[in-house]
Amino acid sequence: MSLTATYDAALSRVRLSGTLLGATATYARFERSADAGITWVTVRGGSTVTVASQNARVDDYEWTPGVLTTYRVTSYDVTDVQQAQFTTTITQDLPGVWLKVPAAPYLNRAVTVSTRTEIGRRSRGGVFDVVGRTFPVLVGDVRSGREFGLRIRTESPSDERDLDYLFASGEVLYLQAPAAMDQFPIGYYAAGDVKWTLPTERERRTFPQRRYWDVPLTEVAAPGPAVVGSTYTCASVLADYATVTALLAANATIADLLERVASPSDVIVG
């Protein structure tokens, strides 16, 4: 009877696994707290996780790096009666900056940031002169989310290709950075028009495959709880297996199939 939290560096996720959740448990809820259990947030995809053989698991991609995080799993039976509850803690930082795609986590990538532009918030108000008055009036509104730009560097054709696929998804991005790197505000962003260029002629002699990416970012609302990404998709199955026989031969169980990670190119719609 337990809840375990382990870090997977390949996709930068905390893997949560609840065991012995109750003989009659049918589903479980996984939650996260960054303030020692005072407030709780449901992990994305963790609201009604199916319990099979008393076990359930989910992955968390959106924790706060470097902060003691408490996780809780609560299991219920078919009539919504609580069966079991377990907690565990983990403090997991990051070695560098990550761009993540909550809707398609197989696109998650560690990125090398060269520079960051200044941060601003666009005004959504207007100042209007009034006849017969010295002072104009303000018709105001709350300002927009934070806006800034990143210059990202890639060093190989494969990194260039995979980062291109990430932006090609058109999805909301989750920018995650180490706790000590406070110049990169953690949050959800929309990427504007992305462009990438060759290095200077002198730099190209030493690093011919290097590319520089200019990425404008606008802070946006987090995707709703219904947005739950998978590391393996139907498109991935069709791309990887010619027949059902080949699929079954390579995967003993559905769990084995779901543990696979899709190719970034699967995001492209033909």
Side-chain angles (χ1 to χ4, degrees):
M1 298 183 291
S2 68
L3 171 64
T4 59
T6 57
Y7 181 65
D8 169 34
L11 291 178
S12 186
R13 55 185 172 178
V14 176
R15 313 211 71 181
L16 304 171
S17 179
T19 61
L20 295 178
L21 296 176
T24 60
T26 58
Y27 73 95
R29 177 177 295 114
F30 289 83
E31 299 167 289
R32 175 202 324 120
S33 174
D35 53 15
I38 297 175
T39 58
W40 293 92
V41 175
T42 302
V43 173
R44 186 175 301 280
S47 58
T48 53
V49 181
T50 300
V51 174
S53 301
Q54 301 193 50
N55 301 322
R57 62 186 303 173
V58 75
D59 295 329
D60 183 22
Y61 298 88
E62 298 162 80
W63 81 99
T64 302
V67 172
L68 176 67
T69 302
T70 303
Y71 287 102
R72 177 172 70 186
V73 61
T74 309
S75 60
Y76 302 87
D77 66 13
V78 70
T79 61
D80 300 328
V81 175
Q82 181 176 319
Q83 301 300 294
Q85 186 176 86
F86 308 112
T87 61
T88 191
T89 60
I90 186 174
T91 302
Q92 183 62 52
D93 209 343
L94 290 174
V97 180
W98 276 75
L99 279 177
K100 299 182 175 181
V101 184
Y106 61 89
L107 293 171
N108 294 355
R109 290 291 176 271
V111 294
T112 301
V113 178
S114 299
T115 58
R116 189 217 72 198
T117 65
E118 62 183 9
I119 300 175
R121 290 183 185 270
R122 282 186 298 106
S123 171
R124 292 192 291 191
V127 176
F128 300 93
D129 291 319
V130 179
V131 175
R133 293 184 57 175
T134 301
F135 300 112
V137 296
L138 168 68
V139 178
D141 194 5
V142 294
R143 288 182 178 259
S144 65
R146 292 172 291 189
E147 297 180 348
F148 58 94
L150 296 181
R151 170 156 274 211
I152 296 173
R153 189 179 75 236
T154 56
E155 302 289 356
S156 69
S158 61
D159 288 342
E160 178 183 359
R161 179 196 63 225
D162 291 347
L163 192 59
D164 180 29
Y165 287 140
L166 182 149
F167 292 123
S169 72
E171 298 285 355
V172 171
L173 307 177
Y174 183 61
L175 176 64
Q176 199 176 40
M181 200 176 287
D182 57 0
Q183 64 267 44
F184 300 109
I186 290 176
Y188 300 88
Y189 293 90
D193 293 338
V194 176
K195 299 179 180 179
W196 63 101
T197 62
L198 297 171
T200 62
E201 186 66 35
R202 176 179 296 181
E203 191 177 10
R204 204 181 311 169
R205 297 183 193 129
T206 308
F207 305 102
Q209 297 177 336
R210 177 171 290 178
R211 301 290 183 268
Y212 287 103
W213 301 64
D214 291 315
V215 183
L217 297 174
T218 300
E219 191 173 23
V220 296
V227 177
V228 179
S230 173
T231 61
Y232 206 63
T233 66
C234 292
S236 306
V237 173
L238 295 175
D240 291 345
Y241 302 103
T243 65
V244 173
T245 301
L247 171 67
L248 296 176
N251 303 277
T253 66
I254 291 294
D256 293 332
L257 182 65
L258 295 178
E259 280 298 297
R260 292 184 174 273
V261 177
S263 167
S265 62
D266 289 349
V267 75
I268 299 299
V269 178

